[in-house]
DNA sequence: TGTAGCATGTAAGCCGTTACATGATTGA
DNA sequence: TCAATCATGTAACGGCTTACATGCTACA
């Protein structure tokens, strides 16, 4: 059962291992997507809904999660629960896999590379736009950070959120300095 | 001819527009890959060789570049030159396309999110490894920055390189602070 | 003479997106 | 009753990687 999965698969498995929160056992695909929007989005990707379901199916076929039909509510939904095998698989991945270097896809920096083809006003406008997009992102992540509070159960997610906030702050500062040099 | 291309296509087109450097006119696929490794890699991606050739073929079919058989050397190679159409297409893209927010795929932060499943020593080791990978990356980019010098022709690439250096510095600082909090 | 670098491609396949399709439940 | 949200999928396709295949050239 060591057909290695993609990082995204393990990321979703990681959301399922800290399932906890809700009164129900396990999570629906829909809930998983919402959770991904609050966490994975900032440091990885938040897969499309369709991809979530595809991944869940793959994880289930690999025996890493169980699908449980939940008939408690008015409506039957499928809840997914990590299995013992899933837990060990995730831990093995954490312990043994390569720690790849982060990948940054930065359209703003890419465009600035071709700054000679843009007008100075256009560059200004682009950087302005980027700064406000950063501010928006930052406030979204700030809400997440506040939601986590100081509950020791989510100490690590809180650390990571703070990492993200510090990154956004650094980026704002870099852009400010850059603007002055232009 | 407004079948919109991928960002990567435009990025390569952007490398071809600043062709300049060599005595020859245009660039080979191989040279383009080398250039991408020096620039695009840090802010976007450096596509695989096979992808480079695929993109070049697509750009040629769209009339954005010309392929010229170069028989000057001992060996015939294909050199690619941007066309007038290619130039305007690139400029149109710069002027009109959406400025998407950067995408960060950060395996280290992702793993830290599941820090509760890792031992403290393991986390330390991971962050250590990341710090040295950062130092290596930084020195690679530093070489690029030095190569660019203060030639006004490459002022923008130089600005972007400095952006990258500042980013790596900020990341090191963030990781240092994080390590103290753990 | 052999190896590293230059040079150019094709094929298979993974990962992920958008578009499409469907339907239930909640609350204004 | 109507819209927003919850909930679950399939199909088509784009973008990119790895593996494979081929061959020349410079130089130690």
């Amino acid at each position: 059962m060591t057909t290695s999965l993609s990082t995204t698969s393990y990321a979703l498995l990681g959301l399922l291992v800290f399932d906890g929160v809700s009164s129900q056992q396990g999570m629906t695909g829909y809930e998983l997507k919402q959770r991904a929007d609050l966490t994975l989005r900032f440091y990885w990707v938040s897969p499309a809904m369709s991809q979530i379901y595809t991944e869940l199916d793959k994880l289930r076929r690999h025996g890493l999660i169980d699908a449980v039909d939940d008939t408690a509510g008015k409506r039957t939904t499928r809840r997914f629960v990590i299995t013992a095998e899933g837990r060990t698989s995730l831990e093995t991945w954490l312990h043994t896999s390569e720690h790849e270097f982060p990948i940054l896809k930065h359209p703003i920096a890419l465009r600035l590379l071709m700054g000679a083809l843009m007008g100075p006003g256009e560059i200004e406008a682009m950087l302005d736009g980027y700064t406000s997009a950063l501010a928006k992102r930052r406030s979204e992540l700030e809400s997440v950070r506040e939601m986590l509070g100081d509950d020791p159960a989510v100490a690590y997610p809180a650390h990571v959120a703070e990492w993200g906030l510090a990154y956004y702050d650094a980026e704002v500062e870099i852009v400010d300095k850059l603007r002055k040099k232009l």
Side-chain angles (χ1 to χ4, degrees), chain A:
Chain A
M1 203 51 56
T2 322
T3 336
S4 72
L5 302 166
S6 67
T7 302
T8 298
S9 293
Y10 286 112
L12 292 177
L13 205 50
L15 294 183
L16 281 171
V17 84
F18 295 118
D19 159 14
V21 190
S22 87
S23 54
Q24 311 281 339
Q25 176 209 33
M27 296 172 78
T28 67
Y30 195 90
E31 285 168 355
L32 212 53
K33 168 64 174 167
Q34 292 177 95
R35 191 69 68 87
D37 282 340
L38 290 180
T39 53
L40 300 187
R41 176 161 70 103
F42 298 98
Y43 327 106
W44 190 250
V45 283
S46 186
M49 282 291 346
S50 63
Q51 178 68 2
I52 299 261
Y53 288 112
T54 304
E55 291 289 348
L56 284 172
D57 201 50
K58 185 165 54 177
L59 290 171
R60 195 186 45 71
R61 285 197 321 269
H62 279 76
L64 306 183
I65 59 176
D66 274 337
V68 182
D69 279 335
D70 173 16
T71 51
K74 303 231 159 179
R75 173 179 166 190
T76 302
T77 58
R78 300 186 88 194
R79 298 198 156 263
F80 296 89
V81 184
I82 193 167
T83 61
E85 241 175 295
R87 222 171 268 267
T88 57
S89 170
L90 181 60
E91 273 161 21
T92 303
W93 176 74
L94 278 173
H95 298 331
T96 64
S97 69
E98 283 298 303
H99 294 178
E100 311 90 22
F101 197 80
I103 290 173
L104 185 60
K105 289 190 151 199
H106 204 311
I108 312 298
L110 179 63
R111 279 178 171 80
L112 189 63
L113 215 51
M114 310 175 210
L117 300 181
M118 302 174 80
E122 202 175 359
I123 292 175
E124 263 298 309
M126 177 176 78
L127 295 180
D128 279 353
Y130 181 43
T131 303
S132 34
L134 270 170
K136 194 179 159 224
R137 267 289 171 118
R138 197 203 185 280
S139 82
E140 285 164 8
L141 186 52
E142 177 77 50
S143 313
V144 173
R145 175 63 193 92
E146 277 162 16
M147 225 170 65
L148 295 171
D150 58 358
D151 181 355
V154 289
Y156 283 106
H159 283 308
V160 176
E162 274 165 27
W163 184 338
L165 290 171
Y167 161 59
Y168 289 143
D169 290 340
E171 192 77 343
V172 167
E173 208 178 303
I174 292 171
V175 173
D176 275 351
K177 278 186 186 155
L178 173 67
R179 219 196 247 104
K180 277 167 199 154
K181 280 197 293 182
L182 292 175

